[in-house]
Amino acid sequence: MRIWGTAQPGELVTVTFESSKANATTDTSGRWQTLIGPFKAGGPSAMTVTGSNTLTFSNVLVGEVWICSGQSNMEWPLVNAKGGTDAIAQANYPEIRLFTVRKKTATSALDDCRRSVGRHNSGAGASVFCCGIFLWT
């Protein structure tokens, strides 16, 4: 896995995940990245990133990542799809995570994004999934 971030220039950063550790030193702009793994699909696990401070991310899964992009087909809620209401009522997917990038117009590449991340293992949570994902699964 590629893990990256920012810290003070010249800072040593250590990433710990499961029984593996990887180190990186930030460049003059404070950016760092490292590779750790490989790991078998599974989890949840905790990931710790330590430098001058410590960040711990819990409930981290390893496995397939689907990138879905589009226009209205990625915004059409599942509840509006044929069979969507039934799918929402039957939803039980505790290992699915939904990472939604909020819209932003920019004239150049951005280093970060405004986002929301959620677990959607119930009918109420599944209702936020786009119809496109439902149709592909």
Side-chain angles (χ1 to χ4, degrees), residues 68-77 101 103 130-133 136:
C68 300
S69 177
Q71 295 177 6
S72 59
N73 59 329
M74 290 294 113
E75 294 185 6
W76 192 26
V101 177
K103 295 176 190 170
C130 72
C131 159
I133 294 172
W136 293 329

Side-chain angles (χ1 to χ4, degrees), residues 61-119:
L61 300 176
V62 175
E64 290 184 26
V65 175
W66 290 19
I67 307 292
C68 300
S69 177
Q71 295 177 6
S72 59
N73 59 329
M74 290 294 113
E75 294 185 6
W76 192 26
L78 177 56
V79 69
N80 293 338
K82 183 177 182 180
T85 303
D86 292 336
I88 291 168
Q90 297 170 17
N92 183 20
Y93 305 103
E95 295 182 343
I96 289 180
R97 306 294 184 268
L98 181 64
F99 182 96
T100 303
V101 177
R102 295 190 186 156
K103 295 176 190 170
K104 179 167 177 90
T105 302
T107 57
S108 60
L110 302 174
D111 288 333
D112 204 353
C113 62
R114 292 181 51 103
R115 71 247 176 224
S116 60
V117 181
R119 286 181 71 186

Side-chain angles (χ1 to χ4, degrees), residues 1 17-20 36-47 60-65 95:
M1 281 189 298
F17 186 71
E18 295 183 349
S19 60
S20 298
I36 189 169
F39 302 101
K40 291 183 178 185
S45 299
M47 177 182 291
V60 177
L61 300 176
V62 175
E64 290 184 26
V65 175
E95 295 182 343

